[in-house]
Structure formats: structure tokens, C-alpha cells
Amino acid sequence: MALPRPILPSAVRPPRFARLREDVLAQTVSQELGRLINESLSCRQACLSGRWPTSPALDTRFQECLSSFLTAEVGANYVKVNQGFEYLERISEAALQPTQFATDYRRIVGDQHLPIHAAFIAIAVNYLAEFLDLMPDYAEASGQGRRRDPVTVYGNVGAIHSQVNHSSISVANTVTNIGATIQAVADRGETSVAEAIRALAEAVQRDPGLAEDLRAQLLDHVADVADAAAAPEEPRRLSRARAALAAITAAAGTSSQLAQAIDTWHDALSQFF
């Protein structure tokens, strides 16, 4: 008897507008999403390396985090884009139990199961990274702060005004010039970190394969990383930088130049943040 055709992931994106519950802070939700994204990326790497994932119930924890919103579309869109992830995680958990069935299952389907699990994680992370990028707008809509002002970025990363949909790039409030920020980091003696951030900015700016809206989002993330590198003693900036790095890493699959920059400078950035 033939098995039914599986439901394929939908091309669903996070809503442009959403409101948080009154008892929830946008900053807290962002930090938790950033931690879960980082954990998911480690879990995905384990799958790609042939190791069975051990992070418990990522799908459930993501949905719980998204339940912080009054807007039902937030969680509903996530479920649409990643149907079957929870079931797959249950199978993975059962396969790690000390039973003969689990041993046989890993032996028979291990080579097929792990790439599928990694693909589901990637789908979830891509949705959530885009969702995280919209958090400043969600916070403003929920009465928890203003949207960050648009800033035209010049300096060592080059003038990028009018290169992304003929508009300025929205970056962190305290960052008015990514190039100047990079130079300040280098002047403080963190030359490897400065070079790493410069490489990320150049990769995002120059890769012709990136969609323009994604390029704008990624440059915003690079600005958050530079902002934190300039003031590493401020926990809030570091938290935003970690979430930004997670989003950049998640998007690297769409950009060969960005993937190469992350691979080259991963140690410098991870040691700093």
C-alpha cells in the first residue's frame, strides 16, 4: 500500500504587523528566539555531521515563544511553514532510547533521517530569523518603543544609499556609520573582529544573488554586530548582536559570498560574542 504524499512546506512568511501580549516584553522574546535559533543551528550542524540531534522539543519551544503574540497569524504561519517538524522530533527522540527498535531504526534509516531533520530545522530557522528581524516593528506596534530610524551608511563598507530598493538601511539607533564603527573597533585593538565585520558587510553588499529586501535586512544585522563590537560592555547590545549573527548565519545558504565570509571569520566573531 502506497504511503500518502507528505505535505510540503508552504512559502509562508511572518506577518508584517503583529502585537505582543501586554505581559510580554519584545526584548525578552527576541533574546529567547536568539537563544533557540543558536541552539537550532548547532542541532542542524550535528545532523549534517551524522550525529543524532539531542536538543529537546525545538518545535514546541519555538511555538511557545511565538505564543507571546496576540496576533494569531504569528504562530499559525509558523505551523504552516513547518508542518511535520514536531512529529519528526518525536521520532528522533524515540530513536535515542535504549531499545532494540531504536537501534534498528537508526541502523536502517539513519542516513535518510538526519538530512531530513536538518532540512526541517533550516526551514524553521529561516522563518524565525525573518520574524526576529521584524521585532522592532512588532515592538512599536505593541507600544514598546519606536521603530529604529533609517540611517544612510557610508565609510569602509561603501555608500549603500539607493542600492536597496532606493532607500536607506534601517540600522541600530547608535550606529550612524558602519565604516566608522569598524574603524573604532580596530583602533581599540580588536583588528580581527573589525576585519570580520567588514567582511560580512562587504559580502552582503556585493553578492549579486541576494534579493534586495534580504540584503537590507542582513545589512541591518551587520550594523547590530558592529554596534555591539563598539560597546561590548553593554549586555543589551551583545544580545542583539548574537541574534543578528544567528540570522546572518541562517541566511548564508542563499549567499555563497556570505557563507564564505562566515566560514572564514567564524572563530573571530564567536570568540568576541
Side-chain angles (χ1 to χ4, degrees):
M1 179 178 178
L3 293 174
R5 183 176 182 270
I7 300 174
L8 298 178
S10 307
V12 179
R13 307 183 71 177
R16 296 295 303 177
F17 173 86
R19 288 183 56 215
L20 287 152
R21 299 197 318 261
E22 292 185 0
D23 61 329
V24 176
L25 292 177
Q27 183 67 24
T28 301
V29 176
S30 296
Q31 291 175 352
E32 179 61 18
L33 280 174
R35 284 192 292 268
L36 286 173
I37 286 174
N38 283 330
E39 185 178 344
S40 297
L41 291 174
S42 297
C43 183
R44 178 174 181 268
Q45 187 57 48
C47 291
L48 295 176
S49 301
R51 303 191 308 273
W52 283 75
T54 57
S55 295
L58 286 172
D59 182 67
T60 299
R61 290 153 65 195
F62 275 131
Q63 293 195 48
E64 288 176 351
C65 195
L66 297 179
S67 68
S68 300
F69 283 80
L70 290 173
T71 307
E73 187 181 2
V74 169
N77 281 8
Y78 171 82
V79 171
K80 288 179 183 178
V81 81
N82 225 22
Q83 296 182 62
F85 188 22
E86 181 182 3
Y87 177 71
L88 189 69
E89 284 196 305
R90 290 205 303 267
I91 294 177
S92 295
E93 185 177 359
L96 290 174
Q97 301 304 313
T99 64
Q100 186 60 46
F101 169 81
T103 301
D104 291 341
Y105 181 84
R106 291 197 305 273
R107 176 175 55 82
I108 295 171
V109 303
D111 290 343
Q112 287 74 41
H113 181 102
L114 294 177
I116 295 173
H117 197 133
F120 269 90
I121 293 174
I123 293 168
V125 168
N126 283 331
Y127 176 90
L128 293 163
E130 185 174 354
F131 179 86
L132 194 59
D133 189 67
L134 291 168
M135 280 298 293
D137 292 344
Y138 297 159
E140 183 183 30
S142 305
Q144 296 187 25
R146 296 176 54 192
R147 185 179 290 109
R148 292 178 293 184
D149 297 330
V151 178
T152 302
V153 182
Y154 297 95
N156 291 336
V157 298
I160 57 177
H161 187 271
S162 299
Q163 289 189 10
V164 182
N165 295 332
H166 302 285
S167 63
S168 299
I169 304 303
S170 178
V171 297
N173 287 331
T174 57
V175 178
T176 59
N177 189 309
I178 290 181
T181 305
I182 292 173
Q183 189 59 52
V185 174
D187 291 344
R188 198 178 61 233
E190 299 286 350
T191 54
S192 62
V193 175
E195 287 299 319
I197 298 171
R198 181 179 290 112
L200 287 180
E202 291 177 352
V204 172
Q205 192 175 353
R206 295 176 181 176
D207 194 324
L210 289 174
E212 294 307 313
D213 58 343
L214 178 59
R215 193 190 312 277
Q217 294 171 13
L218 292 176
L219 284 169
D220 196 12
H221 290 319
V222 174
D224 281 341
V225 174
D227 190 24
E233 70 282 357
E234 296 189 19
R236 179 171 295 183
R237 294 191 186 189
L238 286 175
S239 176
R240 285 171 54 183
R242 292 188 186 100
L245 279 175
I248 292 170
T249 302
T254 64
S255 165
S256 58
Q257 293 186 29
L258 183 57
Q260 181 177 356
I262 292 174
D263 183 63
T264 301
W265 295 101
H266 177 269
D267 288 345
L269 290 170
S270 60
Q271 181 178 4
F272 187 78
F273 295 107

